[in-house]
Amino acid sequence: MGQGRLRLGLACCLLLLLLGGSGGLGSQGVARGPWEEEQGSVAEGGPWGRARYEAVKKHLGAVSALSKQYWQYLACKVWQQGCEEEEESSPRPGWSLPLVGQDYLEILSAWYCSFGKCCKTGDCRVVNNITGLEADLQGQLHGQHLAKEVVVQAVRGFLQSPRPEKPLVLSFHGWSGTGKNFVARMVASHLYRDGMKSECVRLFISLFHFPHHKYVDSYKAQLKKQISETLQLCKQSLFIFDEAEKLHFSLLDAIKPFMAHYDNEGQVDSRRSIFLFLSNLGGNTINEVALDFWRAGRAREEISMEFLEQRLRLELQESAENGYARSHLLEENLIDFFVPFLPLEYHHVKLCARDAFLARGLPYTEAALDEVARMMVFVPKEEKLYSAQGCKSVSQRINYFLP
């Protein structure tokens, strides 16, 4: 109902603009005095009045026909409705809008499309701002040189590919609070104007959406249905699975065809989609590598993707308790990149605290940042090097410093 009123209001405003600016077709000189005068002339039977009456009548008929054409053009341009009717009912071949009218329609349709759905994908707000994504990751994601590099390069390369053979599948691994969810939401906000609210972005949280294993068959049907519907609506879709290590392996196998190479045999096309899996699994292996580098006096930035990804993949394959190992995602190599998130050190937590103050427009001091960081628990017991919670709960802890 609300959308219908909006369309009607837009159409009325547009027609007033068009008829007022179409050169000689304004209603001000027709609707009042002249029309009444011509009626009087006809009644008196004067030949001059009769001629003017017929001229005005013809003029109004032209205005009505033109208004109808404007309406059909508007419906076709903005809502993709009535395009065939316009072609069939056009009173003369080669009919086109005056230049002024076309300008009005272009402005209106662009404005309307900023609020609604005007394209076949169902979401006209795809922006794919990779430059912005790279800049924000550089400035706001702390202590994660590997994640910054892999995510930007993988997403950029995928979106620039004219014909990808399969969706992009990334699996984020690391302790809680190291930035996995933060990066996933940042990807959504830079690929879609509406971010996580976009109809082309779907977030699934394992224990929230699929809490009971006894209903796994029902979950499988629902999940496949929701993914298929999103793919049909959106040419470019983003699917995020949080707490992926808690997904039942049969759910992973159920969505496996959507992540595999496209075979075009009754399968919905998912090649332009991105799948993100967020998991705490592998966090201990990642932390051990980081700690070994620190004990050896080597900078964490020396940790290479090749070295860490191999160890991470081995852990996922060997642990029989997780859905990754029991599903076919690993053996069929459907995950393109395993993205490690390193444990955060004291100075990284201070940077997170600074960002939290800035995000709320609050002043801060170095002493306040140190105080926030000292509130966190650091491990291992001997070195007290890494925050056990990462940066999680930092934004809540700055409440202690509010007046």
Side-chain angles (χ1 to χ4, degrees):
M1 181 69 72
Q3 193 173 18
R5 290 197 185 111
L6 175 60
R7 292 182 178 182
L8 180 60
L10 290 175
C12 292
C13 294
L14 176 68
L15 289 178
L16 287 174
L17 287 170
L18 292 174
L19 296 179
S22 298
L25 293 180
S27 61
Q28 293 178 356
V30 176
R32 294 185 295 175
W35 176 244
E36 294 170 355
E37 291 173 4
E38 298 314 322
Q39 283 183 317
S41 299
V42 172
E44 295 171 1
W48 180 245
R50 167 65 64 178
R52 292 188 65 188
Y53 168 77
E54 293 296 336
V56 171
K57 181 178 178 182
K58 182 178 180 181
H59 187 66
L60 286 176
V63 171
S64 176
L66 184 61
S67 298
K68 182 179 179 181
Q69 293 286 2
Y70 277 128
W71 171 258
Q72 291 176 344
Y73 187 90
L74 174 66
C76 178
K77 180 71 176 176
V78 178
W79 304 302
Q80 291 85 45
Q81 297 175 0
C83 299
E84 296 181 359
E85 292 181 12
E86 178 192 348
E87 296 176 358
E88 296 174 357
S89 63
S90 181
R92 55 188 180 277
W95 181 90
S96 63
L97 288 174
L99 180 60
V100 174
Q102 289 179 347
D103 290 342
Y104 282 144
L105 278 174
E106 292 295 337
I107 293 172
L108 179 63
S109 61
W111 175 75
Y112 179 82
C113 285
S114 69
F115 294 96
K117 307 173 192 173
C118 306
C119 56
K120 294 179 181 179
T121 64
D123 189 341
C124 295
R125 302 175 183 183
V126 174
V127 291
N128 289 344
N129 181 13
I130 302 301
T131 302
L133 174 62
E134 184 174 16
D136 281 355
L137 286 177
Q138 190 64 35
Q140 301 178 38
L141 181 64
H142 307 300
Q144 306 297 350
H145 68 285
L146 295 176
K148 292 177 185 178
E149 179 182 357
V150 175
V151 170
V152 171
Q153 290 186 359
V155 174
R156 176 188 284 129
F158 175 73
L159 294 179
Q160 289 178 348
S161 174
R163 286 181 297 275
E165 296 181 355
K166 64 179 290 294
L168 175 64
V169 183
L170 304 179
S171 190
F172 296 173
H173 296 270
W175 267 3
S176 177
T178 52
K180 302 183 299 295
N181 203 284
F182 179 73
V183 173
R185 292 177 179 274
M186 192 176 287
V187 169
S189 68
H190 285 85
L191 297 192
Y192 301 91
R193 194 183 308 277
D194 295 335
M196 294 295 297
K197 296 181 180 179
S198 173
E199 292 179 325
C200 297
V201 178
R202 298 301 300 264
L203 170 64
F204 301 98
I205 304 174
S206 296
L207 294 184
F208 179 78
H209 291 96
F210 319 109
H212 305 293
H213 285 180
K214 63 180 178 181
Y215 300 127
V216 68
D217 289 335
S218 175
Y219 294 154
K220 286 165 58 177
Q222 294 174 16
L223 182 57
K224 289 192 290 187
K225 180 175 182 292
Q226 291 175 5
I227 291 179
S228 295
E229 290 175 348
T230 304
L231 291 173
Q232 291 169 358
L233 178 68
C234 308
K235 201 171 199 179
Q236 178 182 305
S237 304
L238 174 64
F239 301 98
I240 303 171
F241 293 85
D242 198 4
E243 301 176 343
E245 75 278 4
K246 298 169 185 172
L247 280 172
H248 194 277
F249 72 92
S250 61
L251 287 175
L252 290 172
D253 281 338
I255 62 177
K256 183 187 68 173
F258 297 108
M259 295 180 283
H261 286 71
Y262 183 64
D263 59 15
N264 202 24
E265 296 180 2
Q267 178 183 335
V268 61
D269 191 351
S270 60
R271 287 175 292 180
R272 276 292 174 195
S273 301
I274 299 176
F275 288 79
L276 302 182
F277 293 93
L278 284 53
S279 172
N280 293 341
L281 203 63
N284 291 335
T285 294
I286 296 170
N287 295 352
E288 288 172 5
V289 170
L291 187 58
D292 288 342
F293 269 69
W294 181 83
R295 286 172 175 165
R298 302 175 64 183
R300 60 193 283 135
E301 286 74 20
E302 294 183 44
I303 301 174
S304 69
M305 183 68 183
E306 293 76 15
F307 176 74
L308 195 47
E309 188 180 26
Q310 290 177 1
R311 296 190 57 170
L312 184 57
R313 187 184 290 267
L314 286 175
E315 180 181 340
L316 297 178
Q317 291 173 337
E318 293 173 356
S319 177
E321 297 179 359
N322 71 84
Y324 282 88
R326 300 181 64 185
S327 71
H328 294 84
L329 297 186
L330 298 179
E331 66 182 48
E332 297 186 20
N333 296 313
L334 296 182
I335 297 177
D336 299 300
F337 295 96
F338 293 90
V339 185
F341 283 73
L342 302 172
L344 299 182
E345 300 176 11
Y346 184 88
H347 67 282
H348 299 133
V349 176
K350 285 183 62 177
L351 291 173
C352 291
R354 180 205 64 184
D355 293 346
F357 277 106
L358 292 175
R360 299 173 64 171
L362 298 173
Y364 65 88
T365 63
E366 283 297 317
L369 300 184
D370 280 317
E371 186 66 25
V372 172
R374 282 196 292 267
M375 291 180 180
M376 312 299 282
V377 176
F378 287 84
V379 294
K381 184 179 294 186
E382 297 80 14
E383 291 88 350
K384 295 189 181 300
L385 183 62
Y386 302 124
S387 170
Q389 308 107 304
C391 278
K392 187 166 286 187
S393 80
V394 163
S395 60
Q396 285 77 26
R397 291 176 187 270
I398 68 173
N399 291 330
Y400 288 102
F401 298 90
L402 299 182

